[in-house]
Amino acid sequence: MADRSKVFVYPKDVSAFGFDWGRLALTVAPEVNGAERFSGGVVDLPSGKGHTRHNHPGAEEIIFVISGNGEQMVEDEQGNPVVAKVGPGCTIYVPESRFHSTLNTGDGPMQLFVVYSPTGPELALRELPDFRLLPAGR
């Protein structure tokens, strides 16, 4: 039988990565439930906030917009920024190692679900200067 606490995970159940631009609660990761091939979680972006241009060397990413509206940039093969307005229901595919950024352009919060494959690139976020670990339940 599966351990329910590792199979059914809410963002409030895990500690989160806090930043000046928002937060990431990893709900699927090796340290959360033993996931081996991918990791993922919920990103919350306040109005007017977003994460700046960055990439995840060696990893692909999926970004799914749960709620809110924003502007998503994903660079093409030549490094040119491709920008689109995104909203609830939009899935964004970020190819391996490709630079990308997200900005909440709406009046309210924006919530995303992100998936990284393979697992691991999200741990580099701990090295950012504005990183802080937020305890579960916050």
Side-chain angles (χ1 to χ4, degrees), residues 23 48 86 88 125 129:
R23 59 184 270 141
V86 296
L125 295 170

Side-chain angles (χ1 to χ4, degrees), residues 122-136:
E122 69 285 353
L123 298 179
L125 295 170
R126 291 175 174 261
E127 306 304 318
L128 295 175
D130 63 338
F131 169 82
R132 59 196 176 281
L133 190 62
L134 305 173

Side-chain angles (χ1 to χ4, degrees), residues 72-126:
Q72 181 67 48
M73 185 281 291
V74 179
E75 290 185 351
D76 66 17
E77 297 86 358
Q78 291 76 40
N80 301 307
V82 177
V83 179
K85 295 196 178 305
V86 296
C90 184
T91 299
I92 299 108
Y93 168 62
V94 182
E96 181 179 339
S97 305
R98 200 71 57 84
F99 282 92
H100 57 286
S101 63
T102 308
L103 175 65
N104 178 351
T105 58
D107 294 333
M110 184 178 195
Q111 191 170 65
L112 314 168
F113 189 81
V114 298
V115 177
Y116 307 97
S117 179
T119 186
E122 69 285 353
L123 298 179
L125 295 170
R126 291 175 174 261

